[in-house]
Amino acid sequence: MKHVIKALTLALAASLLMAATAFAAPVKIGLMCPLTGKWASEGQDMRNIVTLLADELNKAGGINGNKVELVVEDDGGDPRTAALAAQKLTTSGVIAAIGTYGSAVTEASQSIYDEAGVVQIATGSTAVRLTEKGLKRFLRTAPRDDEQGMVAAKLIKAKGYKAVALLHDNSSYAKGLADETKALLDKAGTKIVFYDALTPGERDYTAILTKLKAANPDIIFCTGYYPEVGMLLRQKMEMKWNVPMMGGDAANHADLVKISGKEAAKGYFFLSPPGPQDLDAPAAKSMLTAYKAKYNGVPGSVWSVLAGDAFNVIVEAVKSTGKADSAAIADYLKTKLKNYPGFTGQISFNEKGDRVGDLYRVYEVNANGEFILQP
Amino acid sequence: MEEFFQQLTNGLAVGGIYALIALGYTMVYGVLKLINFAHGDLFTIGAYLGFTLFTAFGLSGMVAGPGAVVLVLLMVVGLVALIGFLLERVAYRPLRSSSRLSAVVSALGASIFFQNAVMLIYGAKFQVYPNDIRPSYVLSIMGIDVPLVRIMMIAASLALMLALYWFTQRTRIGAAIRATAIDQGAAKLMGIDVNRVISLVFMIGPALGGVAGVMVGLYYGQVDFTMGWVYGLKAFTAAILGGIGNIPGAMVGGLLLGVIEALGSAYISIAWKDAIAFLVLILILIIRPTGLLGERVADKI
Amino acid sequence: MTVSRTTSYAGIAVVVAVLPLLLDPYWTDVFVSIGLYSVLALSLNIILGQAGLFHMGHAAFYAVGAYVTAIANTMWGVPVLWAMPFAGLAAALFAMLVARPIIHLRGDYLLIVTIGIVEIVRIALINNVFGLTGGANGIFGISRPTLFGFKIAKPVHFYYLVWAYVACSVLLFRRLENSRFGRALNYIKEDDTAAEGSGVNTASYKLWAFVLGAFWAGMTGTIYAAKMTIISPESFSFWESVVLFAIVILGGGSNRGVLLGAFLLIGLPEFFREFASARMLAFGLAMVVMMIFRPQGMLPPMPRFYKLPERIRCVTGKDGGAAAAQVGGEA
């Protein structure tokens, strides 16, 4: 009975939306991103890229002759604001919403989009469970944490490290990755000599490093975000401690080396989907040139580029299905879209809405502080 | 044992910064009984102004020399003092005769305003100080590594605190500040211009915060617009720990808080570090309700 | 209560009741948020506004309630609204335990200790204390509440649930304010020592203020958990406590003021959405400006008048119903 009611309300909402979109010429696409708060720089990059793409699209005549209207809402990087932002987007009549960055923030908005029947494509949210709920219209252009954990454990084994120190920052994402890796390493019999969480947002991590040093690891795997990783690298060098350090995709940000200094970052390696500078797709190159011309800089990380990918696949779906309808878009993306040439490589989704394909690469920082894609 | 002493120096270095910021809280509290929640953001502003000045002058490398660092510090002191002065005029003076809590809410509003103003001016990204201004030399004393810049930082914090202590205890203006702190009405009757004293305090306190901001920028390199919130709360905790309103108390509280955090992460748990620090604070306050050096205030009847 | 007052209350009730008919789901949701914060701020008002205790850690009690609800619902399948009293009791018990040793602290010392408590609670939740709280992920999959067989899921359903709860809370707290208990709290706020001297057991009253405020905040946690269906530690940060604190002070400490404060502090940032990145800048400035223009808060409590019994009125020699004496109110 419950399912019937749910299906009926969904159908009703969908038909209402269809009725709304059939007459209104512009195709409304929502973007939910952190424009204020701790992750404001990520959100502002996301907005820049998507705005750029929408402007270009409209200049070229829009989708099948219809203009695209972008509706941007600030989620502040916190769940409660995100719930309101999602509510705002769904009521403004968007057919699909892009975003957002943090997994916990995305999760707070999922049910709202779902109940409103709007397609949601998350861009930086890698937590496994987001796509395990069976939501029909949820997709993501970001890879999943368990995939990354698998690659990380494999890499640690391949490099022959025997004693591993794991450090996370107690965020949903970083802890998930650390736990995933820990479970796999435990199974493989690799010794974990240290497992703890740092407090993000602080400046001084020498107390943690001193404690880490006493544990005597072969490798430190810090799954946290780049600001903390940068500080750790810098302070590690100041202690004249040469243990290698690796990280996850949250470390992939141009500011990492700015924070740590080139000398300290040299030899640091991390896993990540290919960053903006390594995207060899011609579309990515021209997009980055346009970005540079418009905003005088490059996007700080790959996550904002994934928002651009999300925008493009939505446009592609509307073009191909010929109608601006959420149900059709979700269905098209999950079943029909195959190997769409995105900025971050070819894009296909599976039934759950996860992106298919092995996205992770290993990057190493060279003496000039550049992130070099490892073969 | 080596690890213990290493952690002790780690804690003292962090604590020195807390103490320096705590001084601003304590001075303002001393004269106005106001918790200036915007103080942490004045610290952020100091850090960002320092960043602007260093990059504007193209200062980098040791060519710049200590003279240039001192020059930048002086300019930051001047600018942050001016902002502190304006803050008091605009946001606190109209509320001086109302309930203390109204001023606290005004301070919270000012804090949000400053934080977002910094974000809008400098962008949400991290800014990074030029990396080669500070000396990279590391001292090794009996197996304990202490970067020279840390020693310089602790020394600078201590020197500033002592100077401030001397200033409030031994100069005429200092006496006026103390008199205002004890009783504004009586101080006025004694011919002290209370408004000027309060303005002065609102220049000295934020200026010290600004200096702390530049020091954090120089040493840790990375500044961002939310840093004042984290440091501000820690410094407020430190000021209360030592007994708010009491200058030596702020020093003791700051250093102690830094050490508790370092030893807490070393011997108990890193993830629980802040909880441990707050727990110690609560225990100390249960035993000494007005902080370590705070005086027992008699109830007015 | 005078007639005009009753009509104005009825008027407000009617406005609140028909409002969702005019609002889209987004604004309905904003008003649900306003309602939730109103109740939380009302419960904080007992401690901060009535008893004058500097308490900046109310989110801790709210968190206890929300987590108890979430755990009871997801692990043992307790229906959400059934968990409400237990959430309240758990929060009250927690408040009793933590407030007891610190109740004698004064002013700002109490303030930092309550901040410490809310931080300790948050850190404990993040670190998955007792293996129950789900760490940084929090707890998800909390089921929607049902009331008499009706499933509450849409914003407009929550709107009526929350505002009915607000109405109950307002009525209750109004009674409380005028009770012996409420008057004792006011006395403590005005002059702690004099209250003690007049035989008011201040420590006990202060503790009960905490317990009662926490009980109500805990029950509100239930509704929050039901509304969000996912709760995580970041929803109960120090910042939430700061917002609640600001609502009470900005509102002025009366029940009407608290409602207005919640509307301003929770609703205003939504009006500023047009400013995008600058919206929090405008919000901060608005807070300062409002405080400067209304230092005593938007709507401070009005002086209270009590009708004296007949025989006393004869003694004072005044005639008619206008005779009144002011008891224990504040200007």
Side-chain angles (χ1 to χ4, degrees):
Chain A
M1 189 59 201
K2 269 183 196 163
H3 291 285
V4 176
I5 291 176
K6 200 171 177 187
L8 277 176
T9 38
L10 276 179
L12 185 69
S15 58
L16 277 175
L17 275 171
M18 254 194 277
T21 44
F23 297 106
V27 178
K28 280 193 177 177
I29 297 178
L31 170 66
M32 177 173 100
C33 56
L35 295 175
T36 57
K38 202 163 55 159
W39 301 117
S41 77
E42 288 292 340
Q44 290 168 7
D45 281 352
M46 284 165 77
R47 180 182 58 184
N48 288 349
I49 288 187
V50 177
T51 312
L52 179 75
L53 292 174
D55 288 350
E56 280 180 354
L57 183 70
N58 283 338
K59 236 178 265 166
I63 311 173
N64 305 337
N66 291 332
K67 295 264 185 244
V68 168
E69 188 187 331
L70 200 63
V71 188
V72 185
E73 287 301 333
D74 175 23
D75 65 44
D78 89 284
R80 192 180 61 85
T81 316
L84 288 175
Q87 205 66 254
K88 176 116 198 175
L89 284 176
T90 52
T91 46
S92 68
V94 299
I95 49 161
I98 302 164
T100 184
Y101 182 66
S103 293
V105 188
T106 297
E107 186 153 28
S109 66
Q110 270 185 313
S111 60
I112 295 167
Y113 290 117
D114 186 52
E115 277 162 16
V118 170
V119 176
Q120 180 182 18
I121 306 188
T123 57
S125 308
T126 53
V128 173
R129 64 174 191 280
L130 295 178
T131 44
E132 294 292 331
K133 301 173 171 173
L135 297 178
K136 286 211 175 58
R137 294 176 189 182
F138 181 82
L139 301 100
R140 58 175 144 194
T141 47
R144 278 165 50 133
D145 284 341
D146 49 355
E147 193 189 324
Q148 190 180 176
M150 232 147 60
V151 180
K154 228 186 275 170
L155 185 67
I156 289 170
K157 275 200 80 75
K159 292 218 174 199
Y161 296 119
K162 297 277 177 290
V164 180
L166 284 171
L167 187 63
H168 61 90
D169 66 2
N170 250 334
S171 70
S172 187
Y173 154 78
K175 183 157 193 299
L177 177 55
D179 286 344
E180 200 75 48
T181 314
K182 183 170 185 288
L184 290 168
L185 288 176
D186 278 341
K187 217 188 282 170
T190 309
K191 214 161 82 188
I192 311 269
V193 292
F194 184 96
Y195 179 91
D196 209 333
L198 55 78
T199 312
E202 292 191 333
R203 289 293 176 281
D204 198 299
Y205 293 116
T206 50
I208 294 168
L209 284 165
T210 306
K211 194 176 179 185
L212 267 167
K213 197 174 180 183
N216 201 20
D218 292 342
I219 174 96
I220 304 171
F221 181 19
C222 176
T223 59
Y225 291 81
Y226 62 92
E228 286 77 35
V229 171
M231 295 310 305
L232 282 169
L233 285 169
R234 183 179 172 128
Q235 288 163 20
K236 183 168 78 70
M237 184 189 71
E238 242 151 41
M239 291 169 61
K240 304 210 180 304
W241 186 28
N242 287 323
V243 70
M245 219 173 119
M246 65 179 280
D249 52 20
N252 186 4
H253 196 290
D255 283 355
L256 173 76
V257 178
K258 266 170 76 186
I259 293 166
S260 67
K262 283 173 192 160
E263 203 187 332
K266 189 178 157 243
Y268 174 75
F269 58 100
F270 60 86
L271 302 165
S272 173
Q277 72 281 6
D278 291 309
L279 301 170
D280 38 17
K285 290 219 158 71
S286 67
M287 186 273 287
L288 286 174
T289 319
Y291 188 99
K292 205 165 197 169
K294 185 162 179 186
Y295 304 110
N296 193 26
V298 284
S301 75
V302 70
W303 306 110
S304 48
V305 181
L306 288 172
D309 270 340
F311 178 80
N312 278 349
V313 294
I314 293 168
V315 171
E316 176 66 20
V318 177
K319 265 185 191 155
S320 305
T321 56
K323 48 187 171 183
D325 164 37
S326 300
I329 293 173
D331 179 60
Y332 177 84
L333 290 178
K334 284 191 177 177
T335 57
K336 302 207 184 64
L337 185 83
K338 288 288 169 263
N339 299 331
Y340 174 82
F343 299 133
T344 53
Q346 302 197 320
I347 303 174
S348 320
F349 298 97
N350 61 16
E351 264 303 311
K352 286 178 181 169
D354 279 319
R355 187 164 172 185
V356 181
D358 187 10
L359 230 61
Y360 281 102
R361 305 278 182 279
V362 180
Y363 276 92
E364 194 170 311
V365 184
N366 72 5
N368 286 329
E370 290 153 342
F371 297 167
I372 304 299
L373 188 64
Q374 300 297 298
Chain B
M1 217 44 208
E2 230 169 63
E3 198 194 338
F4 174 79
F5 282 111
Q6 182 74 57
Q7 292 289 21
L8 202 63
T9 56
N10 293 343
L12 287 175
V14 181
I17 297 284
Y18 291 164
L20 208 49
I21 310 171
L23 282 177
Y25 271 108
T26 258
M27 280 197 74
V28 166
Y29 187 89
V31 294
L32 275 186
K33 302 285 173 285
L34 163 74
I35 308 160
N36 180 15
F37 272 107
H39 187 62
D41 299 284
L42 293 166
F43 156 85
T44 312
I45 291 174
Y48 269 92
L49 286 175
F51 163 77
T52 307
L53 292 172
F54 274 119
T55 41
F57 294 160
L59 292 178
S60 68
M62 290 310 288
V63 210
V69 175
V70 171
L71 188 69
V72 168
L73 274 174
L74 285 177
M75 292 172 76
V76 169
V77 161
L79 289 168
V80 179
L82 181 68
I83 297 172
F85 171 78
L86 291 174
L87 171 71
E88 193 267 333
R89 268 297 165 87
V90 174
Y92 302 146
R93 188 164 294 185
L95 293 169
R96 203 180 290 160
S97 56
S98 6
S99 142
R100 289 173 50 203
L101 292 178
S102 311
V104 168
V105 172
S106 183
L108 288 168
S111 165
I112 297 170
F113 177 80
F114 280 139
Q115 189 175 323
N116 284 279
V118 169
M119 184 191 88
L120 290 174
I121 294 169
Y122 288 93
K125 282 188 167 52
F126 288 89
Q127 298 294 344
V128 179
Y129 269 58
N131 213 351
D132 38 10
I133 296 175
R134 71 215 169 91
S136 58
Y137 185 71
V138 179
L139 287 173
S140 260
I141 314 158
M142 306 191 351
I144 301 164
D145 295 327
V146 191
L148 181 64
V149 62
R150 286 210 135 166
I151 297 176
M152 288 165 64
M153 262 171 61
I154 300 179
S157 315
L158 282 176
L160 280 171
M161 290 179 229
L162 290 176
L164 187 67
Y165 190 65
W166 175 83
F167 175 74
T168 50
Q169 297 298 321
R170 291 277 184 273
T171 62
R172 277 179 69 85
I173 307 173
I177 293 176
R178 279 183 293 139
T180 309
I182 293 167
D183 189 332
Q184 282 192 24
K188 219 176 256 171
L189 293 178
M190 295 294 131
I192 295 171
D193 186 343
V194 170
N195 276 340
R196 274 179 64 183
V197 167
I198 289 174
S199 287
L200 183 71
V201 166
F202 259 96
M203 291 163 79
I204 298 174
L208 288 171
V211 170
V214 177
M215 277 166 56
V216 164
L218 277 176
Y219 179 41
Y220 297 112
Q222 156 211 37
V223 294
D224 75 300
F225 69 97
T226 58
M227 67 196 274
W229 192 243
V230 178
Y231 270 96
L233 187 58
K234 290 281 167 68
F236 177 46
T237 311
I240 290 272
L241 190 61
I244 195 160
N246 182 311
I247 289 174
M251 300 185 219
V252 173
L255 293 174
L256 190 63
L257 185 66
V259 171
I260 293 171
E261 284 188 6
L263 296 184
S265 16
Y267 296 106
I268 306 175
S269 156
I270 300 171
W272 287 84
K273 172 192 71 152
D274 286 353
I276 296 163
F278 275 119
L279 204 64
V280 172
L281 171 82
I282 294 173
L283 289 179
I284 288 178
L285 287 184
I286 288 173
I287 299 162
R288 288 193 59 91
T290 48
L292 289 174
L293 303 183
E295 284 157 38
R296 184 93 188 94
V297 194
D299 289 329
K300 269 186 282 183
I301 300 182
Chain C
M1 202 186 276
T2 57
V3 180
S4 67
R5 206 170 220 205
T6 318
T7 36
S8 71
Y9 269 89
I12 291 170
V14 169
V15 169
V16 168
V18 299
L19 200 56
L21 303 177
L22 312 168
L23 296 173
D24 60 16
Y26 162 69
W27 279 106
T28 311
D29 228 28
V30 170
F31 274 91
V32 170
S33 265
I34 293 174
L36 276 175
Y37 277 85
S38 299
V39 188
L40 284 173
L42 283 171
S43 68
L44 174 63
N45 193 32
I46 302 176
I47 305 166
L48 177 62
Q50 304 288 331
L53 298 167
F54 292 12
H55 172 39
M56 216 187 245
H58 210 51
F61 305 142
Y62 173 40
V64 169
Y67 268 86
V68 165
T69 308
I71 291 167
N73 180 261
T74 56
M75 290 194 181
W76 307 314
V78 179
V80 176
L81 291 180
W82 282 71
M84 210 162 161
F86 300 102
L89 282 175
L93 196 68
F94 176 71
M96 198 181 276
L97 284 177
V98 297
R100 176 142 229 141
I102 58 166
I103 206 78
H104 63 284
L105 292 180
R106 277 167 190 272
D108 307 293
Y109 293 92
L110 186 62
L111 187 84
I112 190 73
V113 166
T114 52
I115 292 175
I117 288 169
V118 80
E119 280 295 281
I120 292 174
V121 166
R122 191 182 60 87
I123 293 167
L125 292 175
I126 285 186
N127 284 312
N128 199 4
V129 68
F130 312 129
L132 286 171
T133 66
N137 290 333
I139 300 177
F140 47 93
I142 302 161
S143 55
R144 295 291 195 192
T146 44
L147 202 62
F148 309 117
F150 180 77
K151 191 172 178 191
I152 296 168
K154 287 193 169 176
V156 65
H157 303 161
F158 274 103
Y159 178 91
Y160 285 113
L161 177 72
V162 166
W163 282 95
Y165 183 47
V166 173
C168 293
S169 309
V170 169
L171 289 178
L172 190 101
F173 287 130
R174 235 196 108 63
R175 302 286 305 172
L176 192 79
E177 226 172 87
N178 291 314
S179 69
R180 187 186 172 81
F181 180 71
R183 280 178 281 129
L185 291 187
N186 285 173
Y187 201 175
I188 291 172
K189 178 189 181 176
E190 292 306 315
D191 195 331
D192 189 318
T193 317
E196 184 84 60
S198 326
V200 177
N201 185 349
T202 54
S204 158
Y205 273 107
K206 285 178 184 173
L207 188 61
W208 279 106
F210 261 101
V211 170
L212 202 69
F215 179 76
W216 217 254
M219 295 213 301
T220 316
T222 299
I223 296 190
Y224 178 79
K227 168 79 183 65
M228 297 297 283
T229 69
I230 159 172
I231 53 170
S232 59
E234 59 216 274
S235 308
F236 308 100
S237 61
F238 168 50
W239 176 247
E240 293 300 308
S241 304
V242 168
V243 170
L244 290 172
F245 187 90
I247 289 175
V248 171
I249 302 302
L250 196 76
S254 68
N255 287 339
R256 294 162 305 135
V258 168
L259 293 184
L260 181 64
F263 179 79
L264 288 175
L265 285 192
I266 306 301
L268 219 51
E270 298 305 319
F271 282 108
F272 288 144
R273 269 196 182 269
E274 313 305 316
F275 293 86
S277 315
R279 81 189 170 103
M280 290 313 279
L281 184 84
F283 177 67
L285 197 63
M287 252 167 95
V288 175
V289 171
M290 283 191 275
M291 242 32 263
I292 290 174
F293 285 102
R294 298 282 297 178
Q296 70 279 46
M298 294 292 144
L299 296 169
M302 288 191 270
R304 271 178 259 160
F305 297 97
Y306 294 94
K307 284 215 178 80
L308 289 177
E310 194 67 30
R311 52 197 155 79
I312 302 181
R313 214 185 290 166
C314 294
V315 175
T316 54
K318 284 187 185 164
D319 63 329
Q326 188 181 341
V327 182
E330 59 177 313

